[in-house]
Amino acid sequence: MIKSFIKKLLGNHNDRQIARLEKIVPLINRQEEAYQKLSDEELKKLFAEFRTELSEHPEKIDEKIVKVFAAVKNVCRRLCGKKFLVRDNETKWEIVPYDVQLIGGMVLHEGKIAEMKTGEGKTLVCTLPVVLNALTGKGVHVVTVNDYLAQRDSEWMNPIYDFCGLSVGVVVHGLNTEQRKEAYKSDITYGTNNEFGFDYLRDNMAQNIENIVQRDLHFAIVDEVDSILIDEARTPLIISTQAEESTDKYVQASEVVKNLQEDTDYTIDYKQKSAHLTEDGIKKLEEIMRVQNLFTESGFEEVHHIENALKAKVIMQRDQDYVIRDGQVIIIDEFTGRMMPGRRYSDGLHQALEAKEKVNIQRESKTLATITFQNYFRLYKKLAGMTGTAETEAEEFAKIYQLDTIVIPTNQTVQRADLPDKIFQNEHGKFLAIAETVKERHDTGQPVLIGTVNIDKSETLSDLLKKKNIPHEVLNAKQHEREAEIVANAGKKSAVTIATNMAGRGTDIKLEEGIKELGGLMILGTERHESRRIDNQLRGRSGRQGDPGISQFFIAVTDPLMKRFGGDRMQGAMKNMGLEPTEAIENKFISKSVESAQKKIEGFHFDSRKHVVQYDDVMNIHREKIYAKRKALLFSAEILQEIEEMISDLVGHLAENYLPGEHANRNWDLEGLVSTIEQIYENESDPVTPEELKKLHHRDDVTESITNYLLSAWDKKRKTYPENEVDKIARYILLRSIDELWLEHIDQMTHLRDRVALSGYAQKDPLMEYRAQGFEMFAKLLNSVRSSAIGNLFRVRFEQTQVPTEEAVQSKENTAKNSVEKSGLTRQQRRQLERKTHKK
């Protein structure tokens, strides 16, 4: 009672935010009316004035929101119906931003997530904050889910941006470095999350400034933000190279698991989507492989390959989780239904699938650079997003990204009727009932869009419709090239479209004349998804902008979601009721149970994504520091000064390690210190010796002596470098030294994560162990970078004075390293060799 009174008195958070922004809308509209009196040239001049002021004083951006939003709205009014704004062959763009779209634009500008229902014009809403923030000259990124939408949206909105005096670039797959640089130089850059993320990683692997394409990450608006920041959050971006390991082990493991039987040799956990060997299964494998103990004789690596092969066999389904295209295993995105060429499952699972399908097995890869979408998008100074379905994930957006979610009211009341679920005993009966329902709607002329969860189900349903002579289109990963065409026709009279989840994002289904009178577009879901958002996206294809529509889900108690939460008991109860397979029940209690199951799974996936980001947060600290160091070296105009500072820092660290205490004492290890210095640089004619350093009684004096020794040596060494190329070559060698050790660190941190996973058995928190040991490893990395970089600078030999290419420098560096390894032994190494020879 008290809670409801307080809520009524204060209103909820969303209502308060909308009420606050609604007060600004009249100010924008009045200002826009005033701008209607200006000529085109006067309005363009006004934008130029905005740009000058905001580029000089970006902190005043919030003060300009009314004037800039009003000016953009007026630009839309002027461009309405112009021939160059034709979206397709029939429809002209005739939209001036509504009041709710102005509110949506303000929400985005404030760095929040705007939930706007399908058909509410998110593409147009985006232009308002994009123009305002682009006027600062710092660049704005608009992130879409695929290349097609990036290209399409940039072309549709370009007339607005052009009128405002802003340039537009598009980053899509296949562009070269120069084309990417030009796109990022633009005031506004459209592209996909993958392209933006991979360009960031490549920039931080660049060996020279000319290869860097991105500017600073200032402001990003993510379209379909839930798809990118939630659905794809567990999939890290990885740039890798092939390792040299044999692929035979995957084939062997694939053959071995064919002998295993479900329930006897392994069990399947549907909730976790995993398979586990039983004791009997382990014994059977030991007999097949002729070993006494699988885990000790074959080793954990062999067991890992067998477990992957088992997962490939019983969990991963062809035409559901992946397809075979051109002799390759291509992943299908479970949320969009789109193929993901270039993406590969990690940790050997992709190779296990290739072995299962008997296609060419690619070698496992070694990671060169990696980042999760969570940590990439948190690099932006300001981040915003828009989608039709975000409210169910508001907690995750707030906790992981610190993003507030605001639900924007619709311009017109939603007229779609969301009918109760129909529940069937099994899938076959459900599909027969779907086919009959589709025939009934088709005969009336009402268009139907049928949503399926995978390719296999869409093709099964297609076969049923063919038997009933119902003409239809199928949209799945196999027909993705025709996506736009198929979706564009889905609202025509008698149209029947079967689509996987890929039809649910970024495309509008326009109703043909006369369809509203037939009840609008019917959405027929064939299965409840694990996520309520995906179901809501499917429903949202109908009933846009006040249009009528219908949505209903047909589910079977044998569906994966139902099986995970007591479907067998329901099936038994329905049989006892004497229902035929094609007969359904509509039960609110069961529907609520389904939604409850979805909430539980959403919570499980949230925990999983949170787990991923917690571990990557540790790695992210390391990544940011290494990338910052690389960037400093890459852009430094005083590279020689950087080297001198590295030498000083290196000696200081070594002195602290080998000389505990400021004054000379029995714990000082001068021989160890000299030995380490010799590994970095050795001067045959005038070496540094422990005897000489013993004359010094304070650690600072020893540090100063060795620092001067190395600085003097470096001063002589750099004079052997090709004239006028010292900076370039030294910079390259330093960067290469960082990169090589960073790659080793990535690999070591991956292995560390595997190791600490067992800490739970010792009553330790694996994450805390990962953080603590990771911190120690990173400290060692920084020290190794200094000593390796300085050592490489001393080891490089030049045989000619002409300017070498980067490849030549690398070759000489490698040659020099080999030379040092073979004949350029340090005095300590020679002494050890002499002792060994003497003993022999």
Side-chain angles (χ1 to χ4, degrees):
M1 184 85 174
I2 296 174
K3 284 184 178 179
S4 63
F5 172 74
I6 293 174
K7 186 174 181 180
K8 187 175 181 181
L9 181 67
L10 299 177
N12 63 41
H13 173 69
N14 199 89
D15 291 342
R16 291 197 301 273
Q17 292 297 314
I18 295 297
R20 174 178 64 85
L21 297 174
E22 280 178 337
K23 295 176 183 177
I24 305 174
V25 171
L27 303 178
I28 296 172
N29 289 334
R30 282 199 295 271
Q31 186 68 60
E32 194 270 331
E33 288 178 12
Y35 288 155
Q36 292 177 25
K37 300 173 184 177
L38 300 178
S39 66
D40 284 3
E41 291 307 314
E42 288 173 327
L43 187 58
K44 289 179 180 180
K45 184 179 178 183
L46 186 64
F47 276 110
E49 292 172 0
F50 290 152
R51 180 164 193 151
T52 300
E53 185 174 357
L54 287 176
S55 61
E56 294 175 358
H57 301 284
E59 71 280 2
K60 293 183 178 180
I61 191 168
D62 291 338
E63 299 172 14
K64 294 296 180 184
I65 191 166
V66 170
K67 289 185 176 180
V68 173
F69 273 40
V72 174
K73 180 175 180 178
N74 189 247
V75 171
C76 295
R77 188 182 301 281
R78 291 169 191 251
L79 296 177
C80 269
K82 294 290 180 69
K83 61 182 180 180
F84 52 79
L85 279 175
V86 174
R87 281 186 169 184
D88 49 50
N89 293 330
E90 301 173 0
T91 309
K92 287 185 177 181
W93 182 43
E94 297 180 350
I95 296 178
V96 176
Y98 305 122
D99 288 353
V100 291
Q101 289 176 309
L102 296 176
I103 292 173
M106 286 186 277
V107 168
L108 295 176
H109 168 68
E110 292 179 352
K112 299 174 182 176
I113 291 174
E115 180 183 293
M116 302 185 72
K117 301 303 179 188
T118 300
E120 290 296 301
K122 292 189 287 291
T123 307
L124 181 63
V125 169
C126 187
T127 62
L128 297 160
V130 164
V131 170
L132 175 59
N133 285 268
L135 289 170
T136 62
K138 295 182 179 180
V140 176
H141 293 172
V142 182
V143 188
T144 66
V145 292
N146 58 51
D147 287 350
Y148 165 74
L149 291 176
Q151 196 77 52
R152 185 202 71 177
D153 291 356
S154 66
E155 290 174 0
W156 279 3
M157 300 297 108
N158 188 59
I160 296 175
Y161 301 137
D162 184 58
F163 193 105
C164 300
L166 298 169
S167 57
V168 181
V170 186
V171 177
V172 292
H173 185 68
L175 298 185
N176 61 34
T177 300
E178 286 306 313
Q179 290 169 323
R180 289 176 184 274
K181 286 176 76 171
E182 285 302 310
Y184 283 115
K185 281 181 186 176
S186 301
D187 298 308
I188 304 154
T189 308
Y190 280 79
T192 66
N193 48 318
N194 288 334
E195 294 300 325
F196 286 126
F198 279 126
D199 281 338
Y200 168 77
L201 291 177
R202 281 189 288 263
D203 278 358
N204 284 286
M205 296 169 64
Q207 296 298 319
N208 55 64
I209 297 173
E210 289 72 27
N211 287 334
I212 292 181
V213 298
Q214 284 187 345
R215 292 194 282 167
D216 288 342
L217 303 179
H218 175 57
F219 178 39
I221 297 179
V222 183
D223 191 12
E224 306 299 355
V225 65
D226 52 331
S227 175
I228 292 172
L229 297 190
I230 302 291
D231 298 340
E232 296 197 49
R234 284 180 293 172
T235 306
L237 294 169
I238 298 174
I239 294 177
S240 60
T241 185
Q242 285 190 346
E244 294 301 320
E245 296 178 0
S246 170
T247 58
D248 294 342
K249 55 192 175 184
Y250 304 108
V251 177
Q252 294 164 0
S254 183
E255 290 300 316
V256 165
V257 299
K258 289 179 180 178
N259 298 283
L260 304 180
Q261 301 296 320
E262 186 179 353
D263 295 331
T264 304
D265 302 319
Y266 64 86
T267 58
I268 298 176
D269 186 336
Y270 289 102
K271 289 185 182 181
Q272 301 284 347
K273 291 187 178 179
S274 59
H276 303 284
L277 293 167
T278 63
E279 289 294 327
D280 289 340
I282 293 171
K283 287 178 182 177
K284 182 181 283 189
L285 286 172
E286 288 171 345
E287 290 173 7
I288 294 170
M289 300 172 71
R290 298 179 181 176
V291 296
Q292 298 233 339
N293 190 319
L294 181 66
F295 289 88
T296 57
E297 293 184 47
S298 297
F300 284 98
E301 185 180 356
E302 192 69 34
V303 176
H304 175 68
H305 291 312
I306 290 171
E307 289 177 339
N308 264 341
L310 183 61
K311 184 174 182 178
K313 174 191 173 188
V314 302
I315 301 294
M316 309 300 289
Q317 300 299 315
R318 183 169 174 171
D319 289 342
Q320 178 173 329
D321 300 297
Y322 64 92
V323 294
I324 304 299
R325 177 68 63 91
D326 299 327
Q328 292 185 331
V329 173
I330 299 179
I331 298 172
I332 295 176
D333 188 308
E334 65 172 312
F335 295 100
T336 67
R338 289 187 171 92
M339 288 193 297
M340 306 170 75
R343 286 270 188 100
R344 291 179 64 82
Y345 292 115
S346 60
D347 214 19
L349 178 58
H350 211 97
Q351 286 79 3
L353 287 171
E354 289 167 335
K356 168 190 172 182
E357 297 293 347
K358 297 186 175 2
V359 299
N360 181 51
I361 301 174
Q362 297 183 29
R363 296 183 188 275
E364 278 196 61
S365 57
K366 181 178 180 180
T367 300
L368 300 178
T370 179
I371 192 171
T372 59
F373 283 123
Q374 289 116 318
N375 276 318
Y376 171 70
F377 282 107
R378 289 194 297 184
L379 292 170
Y380 283 88
K381 293 180 178 66
K382 184 164 70 171
L383 179 65
M386 51 188 182
T387 179
T389 47
E391 192 176 15
T392 57
E393 314 294 345
E395 180 187 1
E396 184 164 352
F397 283 124
K399 287 186 175 179
I400 302 296
Y401 301 99
Q402 286 73 55
L403 288 173
D404 196 5
T405 301
I406 305 297
V407 180
I408 311 298
T410 55
N411 187 50
Q412 297 182 38
T413 306
V414 176
Q415 300 295 326
R416 184 185 65 246
D418 296 327
L419 303 179
D421 296 348
K422 285 193 172 186
I423 302 152
F424 298 83
Q425 289 184 50
N426 55 51
E427 185 175 80
H428 181 65
K430 175 182 72 173
F431 274 19
L432 290 174
I434 289 171
E436 189 58 39
T437 301
V438 171
K439 187 177 187 309
E440 292 171 3
R441 299 287 178 171
H442 174 72
D443 290 345
T444 68
Q446 184 177 17
V448 181
L449 175 65
I450 308 165
T452 63
V453 294
N454 58 50
I455 294 173
D456 186 47
K457 301 286 175 66
S458 67
E459 292 181 344
T460 300
L461 193 51
S462 175
D463 291 338
L464 279 175
L465 295 185
K466 286 175 184 176
K467 290 177 182 177
K468 289 184 173 288
N469 296 316
I470 300 173
H472 61 277
E473 289 277 12
V474 179
L475 174 59
N476 57 38
K478 292 182 178 180
Q479 286 86 29
H480 68 98
E481 295 90 350
R482 297 181 55 233
E483 177 179 354
E485 176 192 345
I486 293 173
V487 173
N489 294 324
K492 292 186 176 180
K493 188 174 182 179
S494 298
V496 176
T497 310
I498 302 173
T500 49
N501 294 324
M502 65 191 301
R505 312 306 302 243
T507 48
D508 284 341
I509 298 175
K510 299 184 182 68
L511 298 184
E512 193 176 56
E513 191 173 342
I515 299 301
K516 292 180 181 180
E517 290 71 23
L518 295 173
L521 176 67
M522 180 178 188
I523 300 295
L524 207 161
T526 61
E527 196 171 317
R528 284 284 196 165
H529 198 275
E530 290 181 350
S531 169
R532 288 171 294 164
R533 278 186 306 108
I534 307 301
D535 292 342
N536 291 338
Q537 287 161 15
L538 182 60
R539 289 190 195 277
R541 306 321 303 162
S542 177
R544 60 184 295 277
Q545 280 295 331
D547 288 344
I550 303 172
S551 76
Q552 189 168 33
F553 280 85
F554 285 35
I555 60 178
V557 293
T558 55
D559 290 343
L561 178 68
M562 302 296 287
K563 284 174 72 175
R564 290 166 70 173
F565 292 92
D568 293 338
R569 292 194 302 273
M570 286 188 235
Q571 188 177 25
M574 292 179 75
K575 282 182 179 178
N576 292 335
M577 293 168 64
L579 295 176
E580 294 295 323
T582 55
E583 286 186 272
I585 61 172
E586 295 181 15
N587 186 293
K588 289 184 179 179
F589 174 76
I590 295 179
S591 295
K592 285 184 178 178
S593 297
V594 171
E595 189 166 328
S596 175
Q598 288 175 310
K599 287 180 180 177
K600 288 179 183 177
I601 296 172
E602 287 168 2
F604 169 76
H605 287 318
F606 175 28
D607 291 340
S608 176
R609 289 187 291 267
K610 187 177 178 183
H611 186 70
V612 168
V613 80
Q614 284 175 332
Y615 276 90
D616 194 57
D617 279 346
V618 177
M619 194 64 185
N620 199 47
I621 296 170
H622 303 181
R623 183 190 300 114
E624 288 183 354
K625 289 186 176 180
I626 286 293
Y627 284 178
K629 184 63 179 174
R630 265 190 116 267
K631 197 170 184 179
L633 289 173
L634 203 55
F635 285 89
S636 175
E638 300 291 339
I639 195 69
L640 298 182
Q641 184 177 332
E642 296 275 355
I643 292 171
E644 291 175 2
E645 289 177 4
M646 286 181 76
I647 290 174
S648 179
D649 291 342
L650 173 63
V651 175
H653 170 74
L654 293 175
E656 288 181 4
N657 276 359
Y658 286 100
L659 310 178
E662 293 184 357
H663 299 280
N665 58 72
R666 68 176 67 181
N667 294 320
W668 274 24
D669 182 7
L670 290 171
E671 288 195 0
L673 177 60
V674 169
S675 173
T676 302
I677 295 298
E678 285 180 343
Q679 291 175 28
I680 297 167
Y681 168 73
E682 180 182 17
N683 186 342
E684 294 284 353
S685 59
D686 186 20
V688 62
T689 64
E691 292 72 24
E692 183 181 333
L693 295 178
K694 283 179 182 177
K695 300 174 184 176
L696 305 173
H697 302 291
H698 197 282
R699 188 171 65 191
D700 289 348
D701 295 332
V702 176
T703 302
E704 183 180 358
S705 175
I706 296 176
T707 300
N708 290 336
Y709 169 74
L710 288 179
L711 287 175
S712 175
W714 166 240
D715 190 51
K716 294 175 183 176
K717 176 64 183 178
R718 67 187 178 86
K719 292 176 181 176
T720 68
Y721 280 41
E723 195 174 356
N724 301 324
E725 293 295 321
V726 178
D727 282 16
K728 180 179 178 181
I729 298 169
R731 192 191 317 273
Y732 177 75
I733 293 171
L734 293 178
L735 291 173
R736 290 286 299 177
S737 302
I738 291 174
D739 291 346
E740 287 175 5
L741 290 167
W742 172 240
L743 297 187
E744 289 180 17
H745 183 70
I746 292 175
D747 199 39
Q748 290 168 359
M749 290 295 286
T750 302
H751 292 309
L752 172 63
R753 183 169 175 175
D754 293 337
R755 290 200 306 274
V756 299
L758 302 174
S759 300
Y761 294 109
Q763 304 300 311
K764 294 180 180 179
D765 183 347
L767 180 60
M768 295 300 293
E769 287 293 302
Y770 183 75
R771 283 175 178 159
Q773 293 185 43
F775 177 79
E776 292 177 5
M777 289 166 62
F778 186 65
K780 290 178 182 176
L781 168 69
L782 295 179
N783 296 325
S784 297
V785 164
R786 283 192 289 257
S787 58
S788 174
I790 299 303
N792 288 339
L793 286 170
F794 280 120
R795 294 186 190 106
V796 174
R797 302 285 185 271
F798 294 99
E799 298 173 359
Q800 53 190 18
T801 57
Q802 68 182 50
V803 179
T805 62
E806 288 186 359
E807 291 77 9
V809 173
Q810 183 180 355
S811 175
K812 289 179 183 296
E813 182 185 356
N814 292 337
T815 302
K817 286 180 183 175
N818 292 336
S819 176
V820 169
E821 289 171 2
K822 292 176 182 176
S823 59
L825 301 177
T826 63
R827 281 190 293 116
Q828 183 198 32
Q829 290 168 329
R830 284 199 297 274
R831 285 196 295 268
Q832 290 173 345
L833 185 61
E834 287 166 3
R835 282 196 293 271
K836 289 179 182 177
T837 306
H838 179 70
K839 286 179 182 178
K840 290 179 181 177

